[in-house]
């Protein structure tokens, strides 16, 4: 691979890390760049390398948010475990599912996310008294069990989607878990990002076991992804939930346009 291509991929990894740290969706930049820059390589190797960089970047963002707003260990344990298993399962069956079938489904989901955020101005503002432990801290036993089931299903389902396809996983996680935990965006991000680590890690383990990771390139992109993620996390904590809401809507709109173009062009 030529050095100019490598430099472009490193720059894209930094931008993708920033986007992922704020609202997710960095794969919208990073994966297409890898597919173009490493077009001579098997798609599985591109996917595995993308997951390596994303895993490191997301983990760095989770730690950065966790210093100010500690993550819910219970939610991470349940949702993260389900995410790893679901993502690994999605990666194993990825080759059997046509992207032509999945693309319109993803489009509908993204349009639903945009409508949900636009029509609920209070979304992401949290509830008075809500803590980092989310439902575990303030609800009765039946409600806690229901919330735990939702966390399990969401982690496994979105993890499976990430291993299978990927675009928008971080965005879906933020919207889903912010709703389930009844927290503001900023307070939920450390927990959400750690679960996102699980969705990346499960698929990465599968691709690595199959020999589909370009380790040298992937580790280089990981370093730049981490740098972008740390900048994004600092900006998010400094500017607050309103900033996250705006970036979320912009990223979702870009994903809708991109997938819409692919679907109808």
């Amino acid at each position: 691979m030529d050095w100019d291509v490598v430099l472009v991929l490193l720059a894209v990894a930094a931008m993708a890390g920033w986007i992922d740290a704020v609202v997710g969706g960095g794969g919208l930049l990073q994966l297409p760049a890898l597919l173009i820059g490493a077009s001579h390589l098997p798609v599985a190797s591109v996917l595995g390398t993308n997951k390596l960089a994303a895993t490191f970047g997301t983990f760095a963002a989770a730690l950065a948010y966790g210093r100010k707003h500690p993550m819910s260990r219970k939610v991470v344990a349940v949702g993260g475990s389900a995410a790893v298993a679901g993502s690994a399962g999605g990666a194993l069956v990825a080759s059997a599912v046509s992207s032509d079938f999945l693309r319109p489904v993803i489009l509908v989901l993204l349009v639903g996310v945009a409508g949900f955020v636009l029509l609920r101005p209070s979304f992401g503002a949290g509830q008075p008294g809500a803590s980092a432990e989310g439902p575990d801290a303030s609800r009765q036993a039946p409600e806690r069990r229901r919330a735990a089931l939702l966390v399990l299903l969401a982690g496994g389902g979105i993890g499976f989607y990430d291993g299978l396809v990927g675009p928008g996983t971080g965005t879906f996680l933020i919207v889903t878990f912010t709703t389930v935990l009844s927290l503001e965006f900023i307070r939920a991000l450390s927990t959400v990002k750690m679960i996102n680590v699980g969705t990346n890690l499960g698929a990465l383990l599968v691709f690595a076991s199959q020999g589909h990771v370009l380790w040298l390139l992937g580790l280089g992109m990981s370093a730049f992804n981490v740098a972008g993620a740390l900048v994004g996390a600092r900006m998010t904590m400094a500017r607050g939930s309103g900033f996250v809401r705006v970036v979320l809507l912009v990223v979702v709109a870009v994903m809708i346009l991109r997938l819409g173009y692919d679907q109808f062009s």
Side-chain angles (χ1 to χ4, degrees), residues 1-251:
M1 188 179 295
D2 294 336
W3 277 106
D4 57 340
V5 175
V6 172
L7 292 174
V8 170
L9 290 176
L10 294 178
V12 169
M15 290 186 286
W18 186 91
I19 294 173
D20 257 339
V22 181
V23 292
L28 187 69
L29 287 177
Q30 188 165 273
L31 185 56
L34 271 168
L35 287 169
I36 295 171
S39 58
H40 59 291
L41 297 173
V43 173
S45 297
V46 172
L47 294 174
T49 304
N50 177 63
K51 285 300 178 190
L52 176 61
T55 299
F56 276 99
T58 307
F59 184 66
L63 293 181
Y65 287 122
R67 292 191 187 100
K68 187 171 183 180
H69 298 292
M71 64 191 70
S72 168
R73 295 181 180 179
K74 293 179 182 179
V75 173
V76 169
V78 175
S81 299
V84 172
S87 179
L92 287 171
V93 303
S95 60
V97 180
S98 170
S99 61
D100 292 335
F101 168 77
L102 291 171
R103 193 179 294 121
V105 176
I106 301 169
L107 266 172
V108 171
L109 289 173
L110 288 171
V111 170
V113 167
F116 179 78
V117 175
L118 283 170
L119 294 175
R120 293 189 61 179
S122 63
F123 173 67
Q127 292 182 354
S131 74
E133 291 296 315
D136 293 318
S138 60
R139 299 182 182 179
Q140 299 300 316
E143 292 181 282
R144 291 200 300 268
R145 287 194 291 270
R146 178 175 175 274
L149 178 60
L150 289 174
V151 167
L152 182 69
L153 293 175
I158 298 176
F160 183 84
Y161 166 80
D162 194 15
L164 185 65
V165 188
T169 296
T171 304
F172 292 140
L173 282 169
I174 288 173
V175 171
T176 300
F177 280 91
T178 300
T179 303
V180 170
L181 300 178
S182 300
L183 295 175
E184 63 173 343
F185 286 125
I186 306 300
R187 193 173 292 276
L189 279 174
S190 61
T191 299
V192 170
K193 289 303 173 186
M194 192 57 74
I195 295 173
N196 201 176
V197 171
T199 71
N200 286 319
L201 183 60
L204 174 61
L205 292 174
V206 171
F207 289 126
S209 68
Q210 297 172 343
H212 290 306
V213 177
L214 305 175
W215 291 101
L216 188 58
L217 175 62
L219 289 173
M221 293 182 67
S222 296
F224 280 78
N225 202 282
V226 166
L230 292 176
V231 172
R234 290 193 184 98
M235 288 182 65
T236 300
M237 288 186 286
R239 299 192 180 190
S241 295
F243 173 69
V244 178
R245 182 184 177 88
V246 171
V247 177
L248 174 63
L249 288 171
V250 170
V251 170

